[in-house]
Amino acid sequence: MSTLGKKAWWTLPENFHSPLVLYMEEDLEKHIFGQGDEYLHSIEVHSHTLIQLEPWFTATGQTRVIVVGPPRARKWLLSMIRSLGSRDWCCQDQ
């Protein structure tokens, strides 16, 4: 919801320029977004973004992830994905 005098993020065209596009392994996608993408809507709502997941036919079963939203929200989401995809336990705990 928008606050008084502030437009909702999805009504501002600049939030749709330069979408974040990344590829992730299918296992990481399931870990982050849940089986059958059950957490996708909650992540979108809480991060103020729209996220599109597209399975790609590759040997490792990658998913293309496209994220639009305010730059700060896209940066936070990228950081979260990198942390969860890291093999470093300390990084994952962040």
Side-chain angles (χ1 to χ4, degrees), residues 28 31-32 79-87 91-92:
L28 180 59
H31 178 69
I32 293 172
S79 176
M80 186 266 297
I81 289 170
R82 284 184 175 163
S83 294
L84 289 173
S86 174
R87 295 186 190 274
C91 190
Q92 287 182 9

Side-chain angles (χ1 to χ4, degrees), residues 1-3 6-17 41 43-51 66-74 77:
M1 298 287 163
S2 64
T3 59
K6 187 176 179 183
K7 290 186 175 185
W9 74 265
W10 58 87
T11 64
L12 302 172
E14 60 267 18
N15 290 330
F16 292 86
H17 296 305
H41 180 70
I43 292 171
E44 289 177 323
V45 169
H46 293 290
S47 66
H48 303 285
T49 60
L50 293 174
I51 303 169
I66 303 170
V67 181
V68 295
R72 185 174 174 190
R74 291 191 314 250
L77 197 58

Side-chain angles (χ1 to χ4, degrees), residues 12-49:
L12 302 172
E14 60 267 18
N15 290 330
F16 292 86
H17 296 305
S18 303
L20 171 63
V21 179
L22 57 110
Y23 297 84
M24 66 174 58
E25 301 298 322
E26 187 177 6
D27 293 342
L28 180 59
E29 181 226 339
K30 286 181 183 173
H31 178 69
I32 293 172
F33 299 108
Q35 187 68 31
D37 302 330
E38 64 185 302
Y39 309 130
L40 178 61
H41 180 70
S42 294
I43 292 171
E44 289 177 323
V45 169
H46 293 290
S47 66
H48 303 285
T49 60

